[in-house]
Each structure stands twice: as structure tokens, then as C-alpha cells.
Amino acid sequence: MKPIVKESDYSTIKNIINNLTPAQKTKEVGQLMNELELAKKVPDKKIPKDVIQLNSYFEVEVGTPAQIIKMTMVIPKNADLAQHKISLFSPLSVALIGFREGASVDWVLPGGLRKLKILKVTNQVQQELVAK
């Protein structure tokens, strides 16, 4: 399964990574760069609505017994776990970016190999359309 990334997210993420100091380029940043290079890049208007991208709210089932995690993926400076906002450089974000609702991903997280099942994805565009 190949991740899907919209062109504007790809540019934004690459710019953030390019401006990091060598000390800030963690293992997760390297993994994210690899995932981005493998990803199918699509025009913003053609990204499916159920794909996890920057500013996506998502619910994911992790491990056995299942734990449900509800987060919004944001750029690092906006990360705030108290508000359920997780950095795109976190291991969980690196594992999920570009994958669709309903997908399962096996990924090594800090606690070891975990199966991640994406239960729900909501993107800002969808929320704005509902609000109008």
C-alpha cells in the first residue's frame, strides 16, 4: 500500500525538514522523508477526503488489546498533546500520513511493532463545507 500526499503538504513538509538543524533530524524525520519519497503526490483538489494529511483529525485503533487514539496531525510548532494535536514528526504520524480510513498499517512504535487500524479521518475542507 502506497501513501498518498497532496502536493501542498509535500512542499510544506519538505520545507520544514530542510530548515531543521542536524540535531533536529531524528530517526522519525528520516522515516518521514522516505515515506514522502515513496508516496503518490496528487494535486490538492484530487486528494481523497479520507486520507490522513496535515491538519487531519483521525481515530486509530492500536494494538491488542485495542486502544483508540484520537488526534489531529499538525506541524511540529503546533503540537500540543493536551489539545490532542500530534506532531507530524511523531512515530504515529509518520506511520499514518498518506493512508486512508479503513487501512491497516504495521509499524514499529516506541513500544514495538503495532498494528494500526485507521477508523476515522476528517479533514478541514470537509469541516468547512459542512459549516457553510
Side-chain angles (χ1 to χ4, degrees), residues 22-43:
Q24 293 172 311
K25 292 186 179 177
T26 63
K27 176 181 85 168
E28 288 78 20
V29 171
Q31 290 174 317
L32 180 58
M33 287 174 57
N34 290 339
E35 288 293 303
L36 288 176
E37 293 310 316
L38 293 172
K40 177 180 179 184
K41 288 96 175 158
V42 298

Side-chain angles (χ1 to χ4, degrees), residues 68-116:
I68 307 296
I69 297 174
K70 301 175 181 182
M71 291 282 173
T72 299
M73 185 182 301
V74 297
I75 60 173
K77 72 177 184 177
N78 293 339
D80 182 348
L81 290 180
Q83 293 183 14
H84 302 279
K85 293 180 178 181
I86 190 169
S87 167
L88 76 106
F89 292 158
S90 73
L92 183 61
S93 293
V94 173
L96 298 176
I97 193 164
F99 289 100
R100 298 178 91 144
E101 187 174 302
S104 289
V105 179
D106 292 327
W107 197 263
V108 177
L109 297 174
L113 181 65
R114 298 285 186 262
K115 180 175 276 306
L116 310 169

